[in-house]
């Protein structure tokens, strides 16, 4: 006797009663499972890859502090309203911003969660034999059949084996006595696809490793035999360390810049840039070797030593000034000035700072500091408004418009300051005052009211060297080569299947039925199938199914 139906119980909103609802733990696990499935889908990976490319566009369109902080300062000066907004969202440090790292990390997780399960499925499918021959081969996109009266079943199967050499094959015997061969080819297509995606993960890991364990620094070195040693971050003008780099274990090597070599077209456009250098490897430094290994650094031709690369990324000029005080003491200063003319004429500005020698009183020493500031043109000319301009980046007619400042430069107050300028607040407060202005050529001088003489002695070129250490670079290169190879395989190989069924006839001979199926939409398998069918069937009595 069946029990009477139980009345359904539901809440006013139509949902299940509280006693039948899943608990918080079940709901949380369900949410996490669905989130993981959505994140590791191929569609999500493609969306994240598109977002990563989209997020990298500001890094190509906007100046980046890691590449050229001066361009960022120029952008601030030209766009004072929008620049702070861009800076607040990380527009000047795109590749170090949290939102770019979030997209990067999500893409990594999505690719790993998508590719590794597919790799496992692929390995399982490789170990499995080809699928059984379909019962009705005539339903396949490619099929043919025919009768043979000159050979038996064994002979036809032997001929099929010879033609299918290089295919993965398996032979079976069906219930009605028919003999079949199932053949499959083109597994390298899926292999290339997986290699492509695994290599993409390898590139992301290599880039991440380079950011974590690499470093990059810039240093300006005068091209007059001056030296730079990669022994401490204190020797750099700017230094960007990876997350796992503290700057105490840099690769030891030294570089000596002997000469800067630049050639320009008649209109001032650059033709070639290079620097003749000498270097000592870390082993040379440790062994106390005094000789230098000669080399040339040029654009896209860095110096490689001890796992680091030394690039030539810029150049400029360092005017040389000599200050002679009334008591006969003199000091010579040669400090690099910063190029400010983006058209490439190397019009530069800077500040060469001096302290008067022989002054022991702290207050007097503080108030008698001197700075030669202004503008330098390697090939000077005067515009219609009387301003100094440069008409060529080479040193042909070096000229300097100087403004000599006297007073407190702030050198002794413990605060860092730019080598290219003086503290503007000192000028605003009256602690620095202009005592002379002049336009000077090589050998010219100007006299201050107290009798001090400032002479323009000459100019020395300097180069900007960028030292980079990226331990993930080799991994990225290998992964990139594998990715291209995997992509070529996946685009050139066609996954296809071929079946042969040989059924003995009542008399002499056999009935041969063929079927083919391409696992992709790529054209070309029809020609291969027709060739195999022509070889297996007797052309005189073959008929299409």
């Amino acid at each position: 006797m069946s029990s009477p139906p139980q009345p359904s119980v539901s809440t006013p909103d139509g949902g299940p009663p509280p006693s039948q609802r899943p608990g918080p733990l079940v709901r949380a696990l369900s949410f996490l499972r669905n989130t993981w499935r959505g994140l590791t889908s191929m569609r999500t990976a493609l969306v994240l890859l598109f977002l990563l490319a989209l997020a990298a566009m500001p890094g190509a369109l906007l100046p980046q502090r890691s590449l050229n902080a001066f361009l960022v300062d120029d952008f601030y000066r030209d766009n004072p309203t929008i620049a702070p907004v861009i800076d607040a969202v990380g527009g000047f440090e795109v590749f170090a911003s949290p939102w770019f790292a979030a997209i990067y990390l999500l893409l990594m997780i999505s690719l790993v969660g998508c590719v590794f399960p597919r790799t496992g499925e692929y390995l399982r499918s490789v170990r499995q034999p080809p699928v059984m021959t379909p019962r009705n081969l005539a339903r396949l996109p490619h099929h043919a059949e025919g009768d043979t009266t000159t050979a038996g079943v064994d002979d036809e199967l032997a001929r099929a084996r010879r033609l299918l050499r290089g295919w993965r094959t398996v032979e079976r015997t069906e219930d009605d006595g028919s003999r079949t061969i199932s053949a499959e080819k083109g597994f390298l297509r899926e292999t290339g696809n997986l290699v492509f995606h695994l290599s993409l993960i390898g590139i992301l890991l290599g880039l991440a490793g380079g950011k974590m364990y690499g470093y990059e620094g810039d240093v300006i070195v005068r091209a007059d035999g001056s030296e730079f040693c990669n022994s401490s971050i204190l020797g750099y003008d700017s230094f960007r360390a990876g997350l796992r780099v503290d700057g105490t274990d840099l690769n030891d090597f030294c570089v000596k810049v002997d000469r800067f070599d630049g050639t320009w077209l008649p209109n001032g456009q650059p033709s070639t840039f290079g620097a003749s250098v000498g270097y000592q490897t870390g082993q040379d430094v440790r062994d106390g070797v005094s000789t230098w290994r000669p080399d040339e650094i040029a654009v896209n031709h860095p110096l490689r030593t001890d796992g680091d690369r030394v690039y030539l990324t810029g150049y400029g000029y360092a005017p040389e000034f000599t200050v002679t005080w009334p008591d006969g003491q003199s000091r010579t200063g040669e400090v690099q000035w910063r190029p400010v003319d983006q058209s490439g004429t190397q019009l530069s500005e800077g500040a060469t700072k001096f302290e008067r020698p022989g002054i022991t009183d702290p207050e007097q020493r503080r108030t008698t500091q001197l700075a030669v500031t202004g503008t330098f043109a390697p090939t000077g000319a005067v515009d219609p408004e009387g301003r100094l301009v440069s008409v060529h980046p080479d040193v042909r007619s070096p000229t300097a418009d100087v403004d000599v400042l006297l007073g407190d430069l702030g050198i002794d107050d413990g605060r860092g300051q730019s080598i290219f300028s003086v503290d503007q607040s000192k000028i605003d407060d009256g602690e620095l005052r202009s005592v002379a202005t002049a336009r000077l050529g090589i050998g010219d001088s100007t006299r201050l009211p107290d009798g001090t003489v400032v002479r323009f002695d000459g100019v020395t070129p300097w180069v900007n060297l960028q030292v980079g250490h990226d331990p993930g670079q080799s991994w990225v290169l290998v992964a990139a080569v594998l990715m291209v190879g995997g992509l070529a395989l996946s685009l050139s190989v066609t996954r296809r299947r071929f079946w042969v069924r040989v059924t003995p006839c009542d008399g002499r001979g056999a009935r041969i039925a063929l079927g083919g199926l391409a696992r992709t939409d790529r054209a070309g398998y029809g020609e291969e199938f027709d060739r195999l069918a022509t070889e297996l069937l007797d052309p005189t009595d073959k008929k299409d199914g």
Side-chain angles (χ1 to χ4, degrees):
M1 182 176 183
S2 61
S3 59
Q6 298 294 325
S8 60
V9 180
S10 62
T11 59
D13 59 359
S19 60
Q20 298 179 8
R21 293 178 181 175
L25 180 59
V26 176
R27 292 198 300 270
L29 292 177
S30 178
F31 173 78
L32 292 175
R33 182 175 61 253
N34 294 333
T35 302
W36 175 254
R37 288 175 178 173
L39 180 61
T40 56
S41 67
M42 183 58 70
R43 177 179 299 178
T44 303
L46 292 175
V47 171
L48 288 172
L49 190 60
F50 173 75
L51 288 178
L52 188 69
L54 192 64
M57 289 181 62
L61 299 176
L62 295 172
Q64 301 294 297
R65 283 196 176 91
S66 60
L67 299 178
N68 196 327
F70 298 142
L71 291 180
V72 177
D73 296 337
D74 294 340
F75 190 92
Y76 258 93
R77 184 176 59 252
D78 299 335
N79 305 274
T81 303
I82 194 175
V85 179
I86 296 176
D87 200 5
V89 298
F92 298 126
E93 295 177 303
V94 169
F95 304 107
S97 62
W99 50 269
F100 188 86
I103 299 175
Y104 187 96
L105 182 60
L106 287 175
L107 177 61
M108 173 70 70
I109 296 173
S110 180
L111 286 175
V112 170
C114 178
V115 173
F116 279 91
R118 286 184 58 189
T119 304
E121 294 176 2
Y122 170 72
L123 294 177
R124 288 191 295 269
S125 66
V126 168
R127 292 194 298 266
Q128 293 177 353
V131 299
M132 295 181 61
T133 303
R135 184 174 299 276
N136 189 355
L137 293 176
R139 293 182 177 179
L140 296 177
H142 305 282
H143 62 276
E145 60 182 39
D147 296 325
T148 177
T149 58
T150 59
V153 174
D154 293 336
D155 295 335
E156 295 296 337
L157 289 176
R159 187 152 58 118
R161 292 190 201 101
R162 289 194 300 271
L163 288 175
L164 297 174
R165 187 176 293 118
W167 293 59
R168 295 177 63 240
T169 61
V170 62
E171 296 186 23
R172 299 182 177 93
T173 302
E174 297 182 345
D175 295 339
D176 61 354
S178 300
R179 303 272 296 278
T180 64
I181 296 178
S182 298
E184 197 166 16
K185 198 173 185 180
F187 270 88
L188 286 179
R189 177 184 178 85
E190 184 65 16
T191 302
N193 194 10
L194 291 175
V195 168
F196 173 81
H197 288 90
L198 290 173
S199 299
L200 182 57
I201 295 175
I203 289 177
L204 295 177
L205 289 175
L207 292 174
K211 291 297 182 181
M212 292 182 64
Y213 295 95
Y215 58 82
E216 190 176 78
D218 291 276
V219 59
I220 293 176
V221 183
R222 290 196 301 274
D224 58 356
S226 298
E227 303 173 10
F228 162 75
C229 289
N230 189 50
S231 57
S232 169
I233 63 174
L234 298 178
Y236 285 97
D237 297 320
S238 64
F239 187 81
R240 297 168 294 279
L243 298 177
R244 306 291 296 177
V245 176
D246 58 7
T248 60
D249 191 23
L250 305 182
N251 295 328
D252 289 331
F253 65 88
C254 292
V255 177
K256 177 171 65 73
V257 182
D258 296 318
R259 187 178 68 256
F260 170 73
D261 300 310
T263 59
W264 297 267
L265 300 177
N267 61 358
Q269 291 182 348
S271 177
T272 60
F273 293 131
S276 299
V277 302
Y279 72 97
Q280 293 178 336
T281 65
Q283 190 63 43
D284 294 339
V285 174
R286 289 186 290 272
D287 293 343
V289 177
S290 59
T291 58
W292 296 83
R293 305 169 186 256
D295 204 345
E296 297 286 334
I297 303 179
V299 178
N300 297 325
H301 181 70
L303 167 67
R304 300 177 184 270
T305 178
D306 292 281
D308 288 26
R309 304 173 312 283
V310 183
Y311 292 92
L312 175 64
T313 60
Y315 75 100
Y317 298 102
E320 180 181 329
F321 296 96
T322 297
V323 178
T324 304
W325 283 270
D327 58 3
Q329 297 190 80
S330 64
R331 291 289 184 270
T332 299
E334 189 179 25
V335 178
Q336 56 269 21
W337 283 24
R338 179 179 67 180
V340 294
D341 187 357
Q342 299 302 319
S343 63
T345 61
Q346 292 302 107
L347 184 69
S348 306
E349 64 180 18
T352 306
K353 304 170 186 178
F354 299 87
E355 284 189 290
R356 185 168 181 171
I359 303 298
T360 58
D361 180 66
E363 181 64 21
Q364 186 180 4
R365 184 174 65 247
R366 186 180 63 84
T367 57
T368 56
Q369 296 167 352
L370 187 145
V372 181
T373 67
T375 305
F376 168 76
T379 303
V382 181
D383 67 4
E385 299 180 2
R387 295 175 302 185
L388 177 66
V389 296
S390 180
V391 296
H392 198 279
D394 196 9
V395 180
R396 297 179 175 179
S397 178
T399 308
D401 269 3
V402 298
D403 183 9
V404 184
L405 304 177
L406 181 65
D408 183 9
L409 294 174
I411 298 176
D412 302 324
D413 60 7
R415 294 183 301 171
Q417 55 181 257
S418 172
I419 65 171
F420 300 115
S421 62
V422 297
D423 189 349
Q424 183 62 36
S425 64
K426 297 287 185 180
I427 300 177
D428 297 337
D429 295 340
E431 298 181 64
L432 272 177
R433 65 187 187 279
S434 176
V435 292
T437 58
R439 178 166 295 164
L440 306 177
I442 298 294
D444 295 339
S445 61
T446 183
R447 182 178 296 273
L448 308 187
D450 64 352
T452 301
V453 176
V454 177
R455 186 179 69 247
F456 181 24
D457 291 332
V459 60
T460 301
W462 55 260
V463 296
N464 188 85
L465 301 180
Q466 184 179 85
V467 180
H469 175 71
D470 187 356
Q473 186 181 41
S474 299
W475 295 100
V476 171
L477 176 61
V478 172
V481 172
L482 290 176
M483 184 173 67
V484 173
L487 182 61
L489 278 178
S490 64
L491 294 177
S492 61
V493 177
T494 303
R495 181 85 178 274
R496 64 262 194 208
R497 288 173 175 172
F498 190 82
W499 292 279
V500 180
R501 176 181 282 117
V502 182
T503 304
C505 296
D506 294 338
R508 181 178 175 81
R511 179 73 175 174
I512 303 175
L514 309 176
L517 177 66
R519 296 292 302 275
T520 64
D521 295 332
R522 284 177 53 84
Y525 181 52
E527 290 81 359
E528 184 181 25
F529 178 84
D530 292 340
R531 178 181 60 80
L532 293 173
T534 302
E535 294 289 337
L536 287 172
L537 300 177
D538 187 354
T540 60
D541 57 3
K542 185 188 77 170
K543 62 178 181 178
D544 292 331

